[in-house]
Amino acid sequence: MTVIAAGLSPFTAVAFLNRGRIQWRRKFCPRISMNFQVNRRLFSSSAGGIQLRTSASGDRSLASENEAERRTYPWPDKKRPRVCILGGGFGGLYTALRLESLVWPDARKPQVVLVDQSERFVFKPMLYELLSGEVDPWEIAPRFSDLLANTGVQFFRDKVKCLYPSDHLGITGRAVSRSGGTVHLESGLLIEYDWLVLALGAEAKLDIVPGAAEYALPFSTLDDACKVDEKLRALERQNFGKNSQIRVAVVGCGYSGVELAATIAERLQDKGIVEAINVDKTVLPNAPTGNREAALKVLSSRKVKLLLGYFVHRIREVGNSGIHDSETAQIHRNLVLELQPAERGVQSQILEADLVLWTVGSKSLLPQLEASDGPDEIPLNARGQAETDETLRVKGHPRIFAVGDSSSFRDSSGKVLPATAQVAFQQADFAGWNLWAAINDRPLLPFRFQNLGEMMTLGRNDAAISPSFIEGLTLEGPIGHAARKFAYLIRLPTDEHRVKVGISWLRKSIVESVALLQDNITKVVSGS
């Protein structure tokens, strides 16, 4: 989904996409003390920032004002290859698990470190089920420590601060360092690696519309889902026993926006009004026809108001309600969305809301890293994704792979693949194999994306699936819901977790079926 396609000003979106090649900011980074042979890396001031000079050998140390020493991670085995994976989403975690599953020659199996700032892996396509109450948090957000307990993968909960790759030295004809580079974490830990995987993901982009960052809630992480659920609960408590309705505005009618609108409308029922805004004249403009028709049918049945052909110009507060929620310690705000038409001849609109949910646009986390300016710079596209070749290696860096939201992979037609879970799944599989091939001096495989179809949830016991291998087929309603849950069950990270979740879902299904049967028997008895 492009930025323009879901509720943004076309002028704002075009300006965003036309920024051109994003350069990593040149920031000062504290001194890093290495545990290998080093020469000094020199800094010199310039009008453009900090300029970096790297010794021909690729070995380096960093100088800072305070000359602070940093800790270096001691790899257990000094001879085996060292793989560092940054980011524990679909791309990062599944690459690590793929490496673990492969058969390695003696002394060639790599040591793997996985770094993520969260303690939990999040199965993002099922975040909506948290709002509907269909799943428990542990089912779709297990701890990394539990998932990796029976593997050789070492997990660090930390945030990446700086990257210092040195694999570009071989390309420029200079001596190749044994090390592929170094990662500097915010805790001060340094990780020297031979191979690096960039899988840092993306975050919601809220800074392109005035007021969005202050008043809108994104929906892409576990914390986001918990905040939305908490806000809905607070509004439900506030409106309990009153005639007023909860007003929810969803910005964007791509998959995320439609799934949110359908789920929340089902949850609130006649206690709320859900309005969805989209700059296009239809919802899901790039989805299969069957999915779009199923979504429109469900949204209509739940009385979701669609404001199509509009973009959000501004979000502002018009004063709070004066009601303080004792559990959340928050004041409920009355918000106003100023909507502008995408075409001339249509009047602008003002929309009032208690809760604004933002599903439009995302930005890669790669540009937020501190990095040097020079030959070791990671090439990024206008969206902040690393430019890769057909084997998922970053261009100019043969020891760095990029997957998922961190990767700007172009298909045979030159189009960048969308940052979806399905793409990340498949890229992780290829990245794991190509790391095996690179470490064992075998040819790398070109990545080829296989579109298996598209799925979406539309609430409890309702979903739509359009498989790509059967043209024109769409599974809707309870059948689509069951097929979607099964498809995601088999894609959960580990066999152990799949078994636990499968048993939990089966138990819940039995309980719900028994409860439904009892309700039907009660109705029959009461009617007789």
Side-chain angles (χ1 to χ4, degrees):
M1 180 178 69
T2 64
V3 176
I4 297 179
L8 294 182
S9 163
F11 305 104
T12 304
V14 169
F16 167 69
L17 292 176
N18 286 339
R19 287 179 183 173
R21 183 184 179 88
I22 294 179
Q23 300 294 324
W24 286 28
R25 293 182 302 167
R26 294 164 288 177
K27 289 186 176 181
F28 194 82
C29 193
R31 178 181 177 182
I32 298 180
S33 175
M34 303 296 180
N35 65 346
F36 53 96
Q37 202 74 28
V38 297
N39 290 323
R40 185 167 300 275
R41 187 184 230 194
L42 302 176
F43 289 99
S44 63
S45 299
S46 71
I50 301 296
Q51 290 186 341
L52 177 65
R53 298 174 189 157
T54 306
S55 64
S57 66
D59 297 329
R60 61 187 71 180
S61 65
L62 302 180
S64 72
E65 292 176 348
N66 57 11
E67 298 291 319
E69 295 293 330
R70 300 293 180 179
R71 297 175 293 115
T72 301
Y73 173 62
W75 291 90
D77 192 321
K78 295 183 179 180
K79 296 182 179 180
R80 288 166 52 204
R82 303 164 298 178
V83 176
C84 182
I85 301 175
L86 304 182
F90 288 118
L93 176 64
Y94 285 65
T95 297
L97 294 175
R98 176 62 168 159
L99 288 172
E100 188 72 13
S101 69
L102 294 171
V103 178
W104 294 87
D106 293 341
R108 286 294 184 98
K109 184 176 182 179
Q111 306 163 89
V112 181
V113 163
L114 176 66
V115 181
D116 195 276
Q117 57 184 325
S118 172
E119 68 174 350
R120 295 178 180 271
F121 163 74
V122 181
F123 201 93
K124 290 187 176 182
M126 299 197 75
L127 280 175
Y128 312 95
E129 277 82 344
L130 284 178
L131 298 183
S132 64
E134 289 185 72
V135 301
D136 296 322
W138 71 267
E139 295 171 345
I140 64 166
R143 288 183 173 85
F144 285 110
S145 57
D146 294 333
L147 295 175
L148 301 174
N150 297 320
T151 72
V153 179
Q154 176 71 43
F155 172 69
F156 290 138
R157 184 181 180 184
D158 211 331
K159 188 173 182 179
V160 185
K161 185 176 182 181
C162 308
L163 294 183
Y164 297 99
S166 59
D167 55 349
H168 64 285
L169 297 176
I171 296 177
T172 59
R174 292 176 287 178
V176 180
S177 170
R178 175 184 178 272
S179 169
T182 306
V183 174
H184 181 193
L185 305 182
E186 281 201 346
S187 65
L189 184 67
L190 308 176
I191 301 178
E192 185 185 355
Y193 63 85
D194 299 314
W195 306 91
L196 181 68
V197 179
L198 299 177
L200 287 170
E203 65 180 5
K205 185 167 180 60
L206 298 171
D207 57 357
I208 48 180
V209 170
E214 293 82 5
Y215 304 118
L217 294 180
F219 195 84
S220 61
T221 68
L222 180 62
D223 286 342
D224 293 340
C226 291
K227 288 179 182 178
V228 172
D229 182 63
E230 181 182 86
K231 182 65 175 178
L232 286 172
R233 290 179 185 273
L235 290 170
E236 287 166 341
R237 287 192 298 268
Q238 173 190 334
N239 285 35
F240 182 76
K242 299 180 181 179
N243 293 326
S244 59
Q245 291 183 310
I246 300 170
R247 303 161 300 176
V248 179
V250 179
V251 181
C253 289
Y255 274 113
S256 183
V258 168
E259 290 174 301
L260 261 182
T263 300
I264 293 177
E266 182 185 48
R267 170 172 170 165
L268 297 178
Q269 297 183 8
D270 58 353
K271 297 179 297 183
I273 299 174
V274 178
E275 298 176 287
I277 307 149
N278 204 45
V279 72
D280 282 294
K281 289 291 187 178
T282 184
V283 302
L284 303 174
N286 301 317
T289 302
N291 278 12
R292 187 183 310 114
E293 291 176 350
L296 287 170
K297 182 170 59 178
V298 169
L299 294 175
S300 176
S301 68
R302 295 178 188 164
K303 299 180 181 179
V304 175
K305 183 178 179 181
L306 298 177
L307 297 167
L308 304 178
Y310 288 92
F311 62 87
V312 178
H313 175 69
R314 179 188 175 195
I315 304 175
R316 55 186 173 87
E317 184 180 1
V318 291
N320 59 65
S321 64
I323 300 176
H324 183 273
D325 187 86
S326 59
E327 293 193 22
T328 61
Q330 294 179 351
I331 296 291
H332 297 298
R333 291 168 164 172
N334 297 320
L335 304 175
V336 166
L337 292 83
E338 299 177 5
L339 307 184
Q340 296 291 335
E343 298 179 358
R344 293 183 178 180
V346 181
Q347 291 185 343
S348 59
Q349 291 199 36
I350 297 295
L351 182 65
E352 296 183 357
D354 300 303
L355 174 62
V356 178
L357 301 178
W358 195 268
T359 69
V360 180
S362 63
K363 55 184 177 182
S364 171
L365 294 175
L366 284 179
Q368 296 185 14
L369 301 181
E370 298 179 6
S372 61
D373 183 26
D376 55 352
E377 179 184 295
I378 302 294
L380 305 180
N381 67 1
R383 296 182 180 179
Q385 301 165 309
E387 295 279 3
T388 63
D389 63 18
E390 62 178 2
T391 66
L392 300 177
R393 288 188 299 186
V394 174
K395 293 181 178 179
H397 293 273
R399 294 195 182 188
I400 302 179
F401 291 81
V403 296
D405 292 291
S406 295
S407 173
S408 172
F409 182 87
R410 300 179 182 275
D411 59 19
S412 57
S413 64
K415 183 179 179 181
V416 177
L417 291 179
T420 64
Q422 184 180 179
V423 172
F425 276 130
Q426 297 184 29
Q427 287 184 335
D429 190 52
F430 270 79
W433 173 261
N434 280 343
L435 278 167
W436 182 94
I439 292 172
N440 290 287
D441 298 321
R442 300 291 182 86
L444 276 62
L445 296 177
F447 173 67
R448 295 292 182 265
F449 173 62
Q450 299 290 327
N451 185 7
L452 303 178
E454 299 181 12
M455 304 187 292
M456 64 176 172
T457 182
L458 294 169
R460 295 183 71 94
N461 297 316
D462 205 344
I465 299 180
S466 293
S468 62
F469 47 85
I470 304 179
E471 186 175 356
L473 174 65
T474 300
L475 302 177
E476 303 178 42
I479 295 177
H481 178 268
R484 177 178 176 273
K485 288 193 77 171
F486 178 75
Y488 283 150
L489 177 64
I490 62 178
R491 289 185 176 182
L492 290 176
T494 64
D495 292 337
E496 183 180 2
H497 189 62
R498 278 190 287 270
V499 171
K500 290 180 180 179
V501 173
I503 293 173
S504 177
W505 287 356
L506 179 60
R507 184 184 301 116
K508 291 177 184 178
S509 178
I510 293 173
V511 171
E512 290 177 1
S513 298
V514 171
L516 181 60
L517 179 60
Q518 289 176 341
D519 288 342
N520 290 334
I521 293 175
T522 302
K523 290 178 182 179
V524 171
V525 172
S526 299
S528 60

